[in-house]
Amino acid sequence: MVKKVYGSAAEALEGVLFDGMFIAAGGFGLCGIPENLIAAIRDAGTKDLTVASNNAGVDDFGLGVLLATRQVKKMISSYVGENAEFMRQYLSGELELEFNPQGTLAERMRAGGAGIPGFYTKTGVGTVIADGKEVKNFDGQDYILERGIVADLSIVKAWKADDTGNLVFRKTSRNFNPPAATCGKICVAEVEEIVPRGSLNPDEIHLPGIYVHRLVQGQHEKRIEQRTVRTREEA
Amino acid sequence: MPWDRNQMAARAAEELEDGMYVNLGIGIPTLVANYVGDKDITLQSENGMLGMGPFPIDGEEDADVINAGKQTITELDRTSYFDSAQSFAMIRGGKIAAAVLGAMEVAENGDLANWMIPGKLVKGMGGAMDLVAGVGRVIVIMDHANKKGESKLLKECTLPLTGKGVVDRIITGLGVFDVVPGGLKVVEIADGVTMADIEAATEATLVA
């Protein structure tokens, strides 16, 4: 029986981290981010990282903690507006940034994980995103060639897992986690709860365990980025 | 009197029809949800949700239920969740009937600029480039002029583009404009606004 469950985030990352590596991370804003694995990478001190992630966290949470420690060399993201330290490092030239349209980034991860080295998309045609990329006309419409992403390591967060790595996500915290999980040569997942084998409904697995190599049950702060509410009277 | 932001949002809501799946951008477009009335509209949030409900009641926020602006929201009885690749597959695949977006500039050929100002803080395009390239219809809601009083409806965009030739209809405080061959066609004028007002405030070519 292959053991996928590890006792801590640090143990789950043992032997897979190296300087200069390429990491794909799940999460959208601070929702569904692998917060325990990010903290373990900070503690490991792995540096010169290239990280593909839709966002870059905030100053003191999410991927922001790896920016604060200068462990990140380059980000591949669609939106980074919530992180002041990120902008400071970027504007001073300390940090490289490659903007990808959000759907292009998601599809690059999905394609990379599915063995598809590139795909054509209308997204970005006629914009700076198309600079230097092959343009091909299909049925009268221009498309640009985008490359699939294959990362050295994927770090993702799910709600529940069984010990074989089958994952179930919760509500909008699914976001980039499944495509990010599939595109890593090694995928480490942190979950809120590891449940006994057989207790997840096989028809309701969101990501099959074939994509998940290592698992850890973590403690999750699940910080809210923009708390918006209405009063009971308004409802 | 030109339309205010709520009136612009109400006018944009008239563009939406029963059965449509729609993506609303951040800012004024979000207000459109307040004016759909009894129409059967399903809102998409590109972080992975169809059937977006209102903000939660104070104390019932769930960190796992947010919209694309990272705000806490709620689900409805029709809601479904999916991953980001699936979300943009339905956008890129043309399944979303319309997107309502804000803009910095729109050109008379339908070019749209709404993601960056060179030399200023660049936050990123998020899902805007995918949305304008993929959805069935792109409706822009924006002020007619910028803070300096200059027309935002231009002959050519000066800012880096979000999409080329992607805008179908523009709603400003002064009226409603369609992108047609040769320029912008005035399809509706706000109450109390005259054609002369529009001509004076608009750089783009206006066609009959």
Side-chain angles (χ1 to χ4, degrees):
Chain A
M1 181 57 211
V2 175
K3 171 182 167 291
K4 291 190 178 180
V5 178
Y6 288 74
S8 69
E11 288 170 39
L13 291 168
E14 181 85 39
V16 304
L17 299 176
F18 59 92
D19 290 349
M21 74 188 305
F22 183 6
I23 297 176
F28 182 95
L30 300 180
C31 182
I33 57 173
E35 48 186 282
N36 293 268
L37 293 165
I38 291 169
I41 293 169
R42 175 199 59 205
D43 295 344
T46 318
K47 59 182 193 293
D48 296 328
L49 302 172
T50 294
V51 181
S53 168
N54 188 56
N55 311 97
V58 294
D59 283 344
D60 64 339
F61 197 59
L63 289 169
V65 306
L66 298 181
L67 292 161
T69 51
R70 310 286 185 91
Q71 286 168 263
V72 180
K73 181 182 72 177
K74 179 179 177 181
M75 288 294 307
I76 302 172
S77 303
S78 86
Y79 190 84
V80 296
E82 319 299 342
N83 191 320
E85 173 62 14
F86 182 105
M87 295 316 293
R88 193 200 62 71
Q89 289 183 23
Y90 172 60
L91 292 171
S92 69
E94 297 162 56
L95 179 68
E96 289 174 57
L97 170 62
E98 177 186 318
F99 275 129
N100 279 196
Q102 193 174 141
T104 293
L105 179 58
E107 189 65 11
R108 290 185 69 195
M109 292 179 178
R110 195 200 69 82
I116 298 169
F119 59 92
Y120 291 96
T121 177
K122 279 186 290 188
T123 302
V125 170
T127 75
V128 294
I129 293 302
D131 289 352
K133 290 176 184 161
E134 181 196 326
V135 178
K136 192 169 169 117
N137 190 283
F138 293 90
D139 306 321
Q141 169 92 47
D142 282 343
Y143 295 78
I144 57 175
L145 177 64
E146 294 281 4
R147 296 294 309 269
I149 285 175
V150 177
D152 296 309
L153 171 69
S154 298
I155 53 171
V156 301
K157 189 263 172 180
W159 181 33
K160 290 181 182 177
D162 64 21
D163 69 327
T164 74
N166 289 321
L167 300 185
V168 176
F169 300 89
R170 186 171 178 274
K171 302 180 188 286
T172 59
S173 70
R174 195 182 319 183
N175 56 58
F176 273 80
N177 284 296
T182 64
C183 80
K185 292 173 191 162
I186 295 173
C187 172
V188 182
E190 62 176 69
V191 299
E192 292 179 45
E193 186 182 6
I194 296 175
V195 300
R197 196 181 298 194
S199 61
L200 296 176
N201 182 341
D203 270 332
E204 294 173 359
I205 303 290
H206 296 139
L207 190 75
I210 189 170
Y211 295 109
V212 179
H213 305 97
R214 298 184 180 190
L215 264 179
V216 62
Q217 185 170 302
Q219 295 292 321
H220 293 92
E221 176 184 338
K222 300 217 296 190
R223 193 185 294 187
I224 291 174
E225 197 162 338
Q226 305 278 348
R227 187 178 301 272
T228 44
V229 297
R230 60 199 166 123
T231 62
R232 200 162 290 278
E233 296 72 53
E234 289 171 313
Chain B
M1 278 288 286
W3 288 325
D4 64 22
R5 292 180 166 209
N6 283 303
Q7 289 169 309
M8 287 157 62
R11 180 60 190 80
E14 291 177 24
E15 302 289 322
L16 309 182
E17 295 165 20
D18 257 346
M20 275 188 173
Y21 291 86
V22 175
N23 185 294
L24 302 178
I26 294 165
I28 313 179
T30 306
L31 299 174
V32 174
N34 299 336
Y35 298 97
V36 295
D38 293 333
K39 281 188 279 198
D40 183 21
I41 304 293
T42 305
L43 297 179
Q44 198 231 21
S45 189
E46 65 266 27
N47 53 316
M49 180 182 200
L50 275 168
M52 182 167 44
F55 294 148
I57 290 167
D58 196 357
E60 295 179 4
E61 314 89 88
D62 183 337
D64 289 338
V65 188
I66 65 167
N67 64 18
K70 287 108 181 175
Q71 297 171 311
T72 47
I73 49 162
T74 55
E75 63 186 29
L76 303 171
D77 56 8
R78 68 173 58 185
T79 296
S80 59
Y81 297 108
F82 33 86
D83 69 55
S84 299
Q86 175 78 274
S87 182
F88 284 92
M90 68 183 71
I91 289 169
R92 211 184 294 105
K95 316 300 178 188
I96 302 293
V100 183
L101 302 165
M104 298 170 185
E105 297 177 345
V106 179
E108 61 192 43
N109 64 355
D111 288 358
L112 169 70
N114 74 350
W115 79 281
M116 79 170 285
I117 300 173
K120 293 212 173 164
L121 203 62
V122 182
K123 295 184 171 186
M125 73 290 284
M129 285 191 180
D130 309 277
L131 280 160
V132 300
V135 302
R137 191 167 158 75
V138 174
I139 300 159
V140 166
I141 311 187
M142 64 177 190
D143 293 325
H144 203 93
N146 64 22
K147 283 176 185 149
K148 293 184 203 156
E150 300 159 342
S151 175
K152 293 173 67 170
L153 290 71
L154 302 173
K155 293 191 186 305
E156 281 181 37
C157 289
T158 63
L159 297 170
L161 297 184
T162 308
K164 194 150 184 58
V166 293
V167 176
D168 295 290
R169 178 164 277 197
I170 308 153
I171 297 168
T172 76
L174 300 187
V176 180
F177 307 84
D178 275 354
V179 177
V180 298
L184 301 180
K185 183 177 180 196
V186 183
V187 294
E188 194 174 322
I189 300 177
D191 290 340
V193 173
T194 66
M195 191 63 197
D197 294 334
I198 288 174
E199 284 167 356
T202 308
E203 183 202 291
T205 309
L206 297 170
V207 297

